[in-house]
Amino acid sequence: MTSADPDRSPAQAQSFPQRGSYAESLRILRVLRSETVGGALLVITAAIGIAWANSPWAEWYFWLRDLEIGYEPWHLQLTVGQWASDGLLAIFFFLVGLELKREFVAGDLRRIGTAIVPVLAAAGGVAVPALFYVLVTFHDPELLRGWAIPTATDIAFAVAVLAIIGSHLPSPLRIFLLTLAVVDDLIAIAIIAIFYTESIEIVPLLLGLLTIAVYGIIAQRYRQFFHLNPAAAWLILLPIGVVAWAFVHASGIHATIAGVLLGFTIPVRHRRRDGVPVEEPGLAEVFEHRFRPLSAGFAVPVFAFFSAGVAIGGAEGLTAALADPVLIGVMIGLIVGKPIGIVVTTWIATRARHARLDPAVTWIDLFGVGLLAGIGFTVSLLVTELSFDETDAHHDHAKVGILLASIVAAALASVVLGARNRRYRRIEEEESVDQDGDGIPDVYPTP
């Protein structure tokens, strides 16, 4: 935090992670609650997909996943699984776009001093897992296509675990995890757009960008109308968004990028009225509240159901998968690379800025968050589908690696953060002891 930041004292400017404003803390709590439900549904639907794909009725699962629907002349004859990954997941990325814009316009990431450490930590949490994967698979250039698989963190899954084990963990730690995940999503979007686009059709791309611009102009010009009329977004903006998505899909760029760009066009702040700022939530926050249930309750779980369904093939198949360098690279990247990348980069960044940890947080806490960040699921599964063809054995082995690594990372994070949570609970109980017997705690726990 620089001294030019009027919202922080010099003492606060030297501590990390930042506690954030009161409004920001309340917003983080709302996100945590909603992502917890989404994470639970994600796990349940993925488990059903895996169970069905390995059951006596597996052929029906793969028939449904590979069933083609759509209009070929518009490049929209896709399988049900592709509709889930290219179409439904665009809703998830639309919300990612809203969240990113809100953080950089009105959230704590608008301050360079607050943003720099979590941004660097997220970058380290992407680079080090990718490096581990490359070190394991460098002998085969074909396998290197999956270098980005272990770089992503599934925030819904991670938050669901945090909600179960971390009820008493310090709020700066929770804010750090959410901020880390937001930047992680931004990097994942850039990776998909830059490294997983093989060819670009210029005309559909230009038409897609033009449609996105029209979408943004309407959203900006009539922000109050869409704020007050919930149905208007479904009747006006949704059809325009679908057209933009179709053009971007036809251009060769992964269609989920359209969701991000559409999210970026939604205004975060209200227009001033008579020169006075409006205190109501901006349209981006309103849309996030309206559409998050659709994403967390339907879009992402359906994607997980179709994407996580891997035919392991019994003991022999599992043995073959465990011997695959792709699986080994993915697991080492997520379980080992993520916490090392996040913690080491954070340590270097704080030392370079002469900062210190918030007194309520220790390095073992950050290590636990790093382990939690090793839960890669939604975006990791998507990158797997972009890296390997479905007929390639490495495709299924990578998914098995993601599933196993996420389970191991969740278990290790539960051990570390669960122990820390018990310690913080004891501290809160000790701080709230009534020492003088008047029935009122002498010292209240830190919120």
Side-chain angles (χ1 to χ4, degrees), residues 63-84 245 249 306:
W63 173 84
L64 178 61
R65 189 195 67 182
D66 298 333
L67 178 66
E68 291 190 349
I69 302 173
Y71 190 53
E72 175 57 30
W74 292 355
H75 304 281
L76 293 177
Q77 186 173 351
L78 309 175
T79 66
V80 173
Q82 289 173 325
W83 276 111
W245 172 88
H249 182 274
F306 285 112

Side-chain angles (χ1 to χ4, degrees), residues 133 165 211 238 375 385 419 424:
Y133 179 92
I165 64 173
T211 309
L238 178 60
I375 299 176
E385 297 187 354
Y424 286 117

Side-chain angles (χ1 to χ4, degrees), residues 5-26:
D5 187 345
D7 298 330
R8 308 274 184 195
S9 67
Q12 288 176 310
Q14 296 302 315
S15 66
F16 174 84
Q18 297 287 353
R19 289 181 177 273
S21 63
Y22 179 69
E24 183 71 2
S25 297
L26 290 179

Side-chain angles (χ1 to χ4, degrees), residues 1-2 5 7-22 24-25 28 108-109 111-118 170-179 346 350 353 355-361 366:
M1 188 66 60
T2 61
D5 187 345
D7 298 330
R8 308 274 184 195
S9 67
Q12 288 176 310
Q14 296 302 315
S15 66
F16 174 84
Q18 297 287 353
R19 289 181 177 273
S21 63
Y22 179 69
E24 183 71 2
S25 297
I28 291 294
D108 283 346
L109 289 183
R111 307 182 184 95
I112 295 177
T114 306
I116 189 64
V117 176
S171 60
L173 202 62
R174 298 167 179 269
I175 293 175
F176 175 64
L177 174 62
L178 267 294
T179 305
T346 301
T350 52
R353 297 185 64 247
R356 62 178 176 80
L357 282 183
D358 186 284
V361 176
L366 287 184

Side-chain angles (χ1 to χ4, degrees), residues 171-429:
S171 60
L173 202 62
R174 298 167 179 269
I175 293 175
F176 175 64
L177 174 62
L178 267 294
T179 305
L180 188 76
V182 166
V183 180
D184 187 284
D185 284 339
L186 178 61
I187 298 173
I189 291 163
I191 288 174
I192 292 172
I194 296 171
F195 296 101
Y196 290 94
T197 299
E198 296 180 356
S199 61
I200 297 178
E201 298 291 334
I202 298 299
V203 173
L205 178 60
L206 292 177
L207 290 173
L209 293 176
L210 178 62
T211 309
I212 291 170
V214 171
Y215 179 98
I217 291 170
I218 294 174
Q220 294 278 346
R221 178 67 179 82
Y222 300 101
R223 65 185 73 182
Q224 189 65 16
F225 173 73
F226 290 116
H227 190 171
L228 298 175
N229 299 275
W234 297 95
L235 298 176
I236 299 174
L237 292 181
L238 178 60
I240 299 174
V242 170
V243 172
W245 172 88
F247 279 131
V248 172
H249 182 274
S251 74
I253 296 176
H254 198 270
T256 53
I257 303 299
V260 178
L261 296 177
L262 290 168
F264 280 162
T265 67
I266 303 299
V268 171
R269 301 181 186 275
H270 282 284
R271 289 195 178 95
R272 291 172 176 261
R273 296 175 184 168
D274 300 324
V276 179
V278 178
E279 297 299 327
E280 298 174 358
L283 189 60
E285 187 173 348
V286 171
F287 276 13
E288 185 179 352
H289 177 74
R290 289 178 187 170
F291 301 134
R292 188 174 291 278
L294 177 62
S295 173
F298 179 72
V300 175
V302 170
F303 165 77
F305 171 76
F306 285 112
S307 187
V310 176
I312 297 175
E316 284 188 17
L318 183 59
T319 301
L322 293 174
D324 191 335
V326 169
L327 178 144
I328 297 171
V330 168
M331 293 194 66
I332 292 177
L334 287 171
I335 299 170
V336 180
K338 271 290 184 181
I340 290 178
I342 290 170
V343 173
V344 171
T345 307
T346 301
W347 184 85
I348 293 173
T350 52
R351 291 299 180 272
R353 297 185 64 247
H354 304 290
R356 62 178 176 80
L357 282 183
D358 186 284
V361 176
T362 67
W363 284 104
I364 190 64
D365 296 332
L366 287 184
F367 178 70
V369 168
L371 288 170
L372 205 57
I375 299 176
F377 211 84
T378 304
V379 179
S380 291
L381 291 173
L382 175 60
V383 174
T384 299
E385 297 187 354
L386 298 175
S387 301
F388 301 108
D389 188 84
E390 286 186 2
T391 59
D392 191 335
H394 300 304
H395 174 273
D396 287 352
H397 294 170
K399 289 188 175 183
V400 173
I402 293 168
L403 299 173
L404 292 177
S406 298
I407 293 171
V408 173
L412 293 175
S414 298
V415 171
V416 174
L417 293 178
R420 302 299 298 167
N421 188 67
R422 290 190 292 273
R423 179 180 180 277
Y424 286 117
R425 182 176 60 190
R426 287 196 301 270
I427 292 174
E428 288 185 8
E429 291 172 351

